[in-house]
């Protein structure tokens, strides 16, 4: 059944929300606030209906023509139909509403931190390869691969390697044994690595020959099941913090923000929020390869970093030594277990910083106040789990003083953010 409705706002997850004539809430993808649209029901959920956009009767002035030829089929860039300033405003409103829904008092509004690049910003691209040789991204809510030959979000060196793979007929040649092809660009130079992940329970035959044949296309080729990582597959980025230059390195097994220019702005913003004295102590949870630990330590504090990924801890230690630091210590452990050990030991920290995965800190969140930090700074990539974690911290005597949306993923509904809490 088709309905005509007006879109009131864009909600978490990126869809437009409106109300049908019978009062039922409807969610329509690819729509913008203020638009009058015709939409068709696709699913009748408890309390709302999912819809598919049929046509736009009255368009928003913020609507633009998506530049990507795969838009509407590829499940990736779901906000290319919105002008970039509008995307930033939607993210600010969604983040703020997430806190309100959790019965938290948001601090004064802060505009979203825009990405230096709205396109061409991704330094890492993971492509699916189906057994018929189609290489690309999954359709929305589907395992069907949309074949692509270029991604407008990817850094140009990645697109150059992707073109070479396609021109060489590699998708068809690899399809029987390889499930994904990941292209990773090193932000400090033009290096691109190709990471091949075999299909479950398979190890590609003649793996050394396969890697040798692919080498002319990229600086490094890695079969994910084979170790160690080649020296040419080490990635780098240069930073400046507190007037000091420093250098971070990592490999393909480490997490690193895919928007390298925006990551530099994110790190600088975090440092600006925490002007610590030299004698301060800091705990960096989910520290990865030292993205925040290294610049924090360069500012003076003694820093302990905790991260479950042992490969990331390996690189955090390397990066710390390369920066000439003697005030850092890195622990390879599950964050909640390490927090409980610190609480039991009576440890205290001036500041705690955490950058958890999308599922948030969870059971680790209520342990943070037990370490009596003056400040807790949370970097999040999911407003809902952020609000849940903040509610647990606020309940133990903290107030949210800053909330900054950070656009790490332009053209998509995904929202990065920084929340600063201070002990009351």
């Amino acid at each position: 059944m088709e309905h005509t409705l007006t879109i009131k706002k864009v909600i978490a997850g990126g869809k437009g929300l409106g109300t049908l004539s019978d009062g039922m809430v409807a969610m329509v993808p690819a729509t913008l606030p203020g638009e009058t649209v015709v939409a068709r029901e696709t699913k009748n959920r408890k309390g709302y209906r999912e819809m598919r956009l049929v046509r736009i009767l009255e368009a928003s002035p913020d609507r633009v023509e998506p530049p990507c030829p795969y838009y509407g089929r590829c499940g990736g860039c779901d906000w290319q139909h919105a002008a970039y300033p509008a995307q930033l405003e939607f993210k600010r409103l969604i983040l703020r509403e997430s806190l309100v829904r959790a019965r938290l008092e948001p601090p004064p509004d802060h505009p979203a931190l825009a990405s230096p690049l709205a396109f061409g910003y991704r330094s890492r691209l993971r492509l699916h390869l189906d057994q018929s040789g189609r290489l690309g991204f999954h359709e929305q809510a589907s395992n069907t691969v949309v074949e692509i030959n270029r991604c407008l979000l990817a850094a140009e060196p990645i697109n150059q390697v992707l073109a070479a793979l396609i021109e060489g007929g590699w998708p068809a040649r690899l399809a029987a044994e390889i499930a994904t092809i990941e292209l990773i660009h090193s932000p400090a130079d033009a290096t691109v690595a190709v990471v091949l992940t075999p299909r479950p329970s398979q190890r590609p035959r003649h793996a050394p020959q396969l890697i040798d044949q692919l080498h002319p296309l990229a600086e490094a080729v890695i079969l994910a099941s084979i170790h160690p990582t080649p020296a040419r597959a080490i990635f780098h980025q240069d930073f400046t913090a507190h007037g000091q230059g420093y250098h971070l390195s990592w490999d393909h097994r480490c997490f690193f923000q895919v928007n390298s220019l925006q990551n530099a702005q994110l790190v600088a913003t975090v440092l600006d929020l925490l002007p610590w004295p030299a004698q301060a102590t800091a705990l960096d949870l989910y520290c990865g390869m030292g993205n925040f630990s290294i610049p924090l330590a360069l500012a003076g504090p003694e820093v302990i970093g905790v991260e479950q990924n042992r490969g990331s801890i390996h690189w955090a230690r390397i990066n710390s030594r390369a920066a000439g630091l003697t005030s850092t210590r890195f622990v390879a452990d599950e964050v909640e277990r390490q927090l409980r050990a610190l609480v039991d030991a009576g440890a205290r920290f001036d500041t705690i910083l955490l950058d958890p995965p999308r599922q948030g800190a969870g059971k680790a969140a209520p342990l943070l106040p037990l370490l009596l930090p003056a400040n807790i700074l949370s970097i999040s990539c999911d407003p809902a789990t952020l609000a849940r974690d903040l509610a647990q911290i606020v309940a133990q005597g903290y107030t949210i003083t800053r909330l900054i949306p950070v656009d790490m993923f332009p053209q998509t509904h995904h929202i990065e953010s920084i929340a600063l809490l201070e002990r009351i």
Side-chain angles (χ1 to χ4, degrees):
M1 180 182 296
E2 291 188 354
H3 301 266
T4 299
L5 68 155
T6 299
I7 303 301
K8 296 179 179 179
K9 62 180 179 179
V10 174
I11 60 173
K15 296 178 181 179
L17 181 144
T19 305
L20 303 179
S21 58
D22 61 1
M24 181 66 71
V25 170
M27 299 180 185
V28 190
T31 57
L32 300 174
E35 292 189 326
T36 301
V37 303
V38 176
R40 185 189 305 275
E41 290 184 30
T42 56
K43 291 182 181 178
N44 191 349
R45 305 284 194 183
K46 184 178 180 180
Y48 69 95
R49 293 174 189 165
E50 292 186 14
M51 315 286 283
R52 176 177 61 83
L53 178 64
V54 175
R55 61 183 177 276
I56 300 168
L57 301 179
E58 184 177 343
S60 165
D62 291 321
R63 180 170 287 276
V64 296
E65 186 66 26
C68 179
Y70 310 110
Y71 175 82
R73 292 185 294 137
C74 168
C77 304
D78 55 347
W79 274 10
Q80 277 195 33
H81 59 281
Y84 190 54
Q87 294 182 31
L88 296 175
E89 178 63 4
F90 299 155
K91 293 184 179 187
R92 182 189 71 81
L93 293 171
I94 290 169
L95 180 61
R96 187 174 181 83
E97 184 174 326
S98 296
L99 266 65
V100 171
R101 290 173 65 88
R103 299 183 179 180
L104 293 168
E105 181 65 34
D109 275 346
H110 193 290
L113 183 63
S115 172
L117 296 174
F119 289 94
Y121 62 84
R122 288 192 68 99
S123 60
R124 191 166 191 158
L125 205 66
R126 188 182 189 200
L127 301 165
H128 298 277
L129 180 61
D130 70 16
Q131 293 188 325
S132 66
R134 286 192 296 265
L135 179 66
F137 299 110
H138 284 151
E139 288 182 2
Q140 185 71 34
S142 168
N143 288 325
T144 301
V145 173
V146 177
E147 195 169 21
I148 71 161
N149 55 32
R150 181 177 180 81
C151 176
L152 294 185
L153 297 195
E156 187 55 30
I158 286 178
N159 278 317
Q160 292 172 1
V161 173
L162 174 58
L165 285 169
I166 293 170
E167 289 168 9
W170 281 102
R173 296 161 69 180
L174 296 171
E177 297 177 323
I178 300 299
T180 65
I181 299 178
E182 196 164 17
L183 306 176
I184 309 175
H185 171 235
S186 181
D189 51 47
T191 300
V192 176
V194 177
V195 181
L196 307 174
T197 301
R199 298 195 182 281
S201 304
Q202 285 202 22
R203 181 184 178 93
R205 299 185 299 275
H206 314 299
Q209 297 94 316
L210 172 66
I211 291 173
D212 287 343
Q213 291 171 19
L214 279 165
H215 262 179
L217 306 185
E219 281 74 16
V221 180
I222 304 165
L223 194 61
S225 57
I226 293 180
H227 299 289
T229 300
R232 287 176 295 180
I234 307 304
F235 312 106
H236 310 276
Q237 186 170 0
D238 296 315
F239 295 83
T240 301
H242 298 283
Q244 302 180 69
Y246 65 98
H247 186 83
L248 297 184
S249 302
W250 65 97
D251 66 30
H252 72 283
R253 292 165 292 184
C254 301
F255 169 79
F256 194 75
Q257 295 285 5
V258 299
N259 188 337
S260 57
L261 293 178
Q262 183 68 321
N263 181 56
Q265 290 198 143
L266 172 66
V267 171
T269 303
V270 166
L271 295 181
D272 287 344
L273 289 173
L274 297 172
W276 302 331
Q279 70 273 18
T281 56
L283 179 63
D284 183 10
L285 303 174
Y286 313 95
C287 69
M289 34 62 73
N291 189 46
F292 295 105
S293 302
I294 304 307
L296 295 183
L298 287 171
E302 295 182 5
V303 178
I304 296 177
V306 181
E307 166 64 52
Q308 189 170 9
N309 184 317
R310 292 184 177 275
S312 293
I313 288 294
H314 167 77
W315 283 106
R317 291 168 177 159
I318 289 175
N319 290 329
S320 180
R321 290 194 295 269
L325 294 168
T326 58
S327 60
T328 59
R329 181 165 67 91
F330 293 98
V331 180
D333 196 4
E334 195 273 328
V335 165
E336 183 185 346
R337 180 167 55 234
Q338 186 61 207
L339 277 174
R340 293 190 185 280
L342 289 168
V343 169
D344 291 343
R348 299 289 182 265
F349 293 91
D350 296 301
T351 293
I352 298 177
L353 183 147
L354 61 153
D355 186 8
R358 189 170 300 278
Q359 61 265 33
K363 293 181 181 179
L367 299 175
L368 304 179
L370 302 181
L371 297 172
L372 302 180
N375 304 292
I376 298 174
L377 193 147
S378 178
I379 295 106
S380 169
C381 60
D382 185 279
T385 58
L386 171 68
R388 180 203 64 200
D389 292 345
L390 294 185
Q392 297 184 79
I393 298 169
V394 166
Q396 297 189 62
Y398 285 77
T399 185
I400 306 166
T401 58
R402 301 293 296 274
L403 182 67
I404 304 175
V406 179
D407 193 17
M408 193 66 70
F409 312 102
Q411 316 309 324
T412 80
H413 69 269
H414 298 292
I415 306 171
E416 196 90 2
S417 63
I418 304 170
L420 177 64
L421 301 99
E422 298 179 4
R423 192 169 66 228
I424 299 172

